[in-house]
Amino acid sequence: MPRAKDYGPELKKNGFKPVNVSHSQAKAGDVVIFQPSKGTSKSGHMAIYDGKNWISDFKQKSFYVNKNYMNSSYTIYREF
């Protein structure tokens, strides 16, 4: 099973494309993939936006699952 950080190609195969938007411009159905950085999981992190909340394996309190991801690079994917 791929790690969260490696799901970009799988999303692309299924009709998603990277979009150059900030998390405040996300639309329902957008998926974010965070790359690992200091203090984060080596697997990175992945979540989907439901139009109001970012959800991974739980409803996150914010876009960033925790403060350590604030320094991680991320890509937002949108289905087209």
Side-chain angles (χ1 to χ4, degrees):
M1 178 181 266
R3 294 176 182 215
K5 68 181 182 73
D6 299 323
Y7 265 90
E10 191 65 30
L11 287 169
K12 288 178 183 178
K13 278 197 274 183
N14 287 283
F16 286 77
K17 295 181 182 178
V19 290
N20 190 22
V21 299
S22 72
H23 61 88
S24 63
Q25 298 169 309
K27 294 183 179 181
D30 284 357
V31 176
V32 64
I33 296 178
F34 284 92
Q35 295 303 309
S37 65
K38 186 175 181 174
T40 67
S41 167
K42 292 179 183 177
S43 296
H45 184 72
M46 186 169 150
I48 188 167
Y49 189 60
D50 71 357
K52 185 174 180 181
N53 300 292
W54 287 96
I55 301 168
S56 52
D57 51 335
F58 59 92
K59 184 171 83 172
Q60 299 178 184
K61 293 182 180 181
S62 71
F63 175 71
Y64 297 102
V65 66
N66 67 47
K67 66 180 181 177
N68 294 329
Y69 279 97
M70 294 178 87
N71 295 318
S72 296
S73 64
Y74 65 86
T75 303
I76 294 177
Y77 293 85
R78 185 170 290 160
E79 188 175 22
F80 285 92

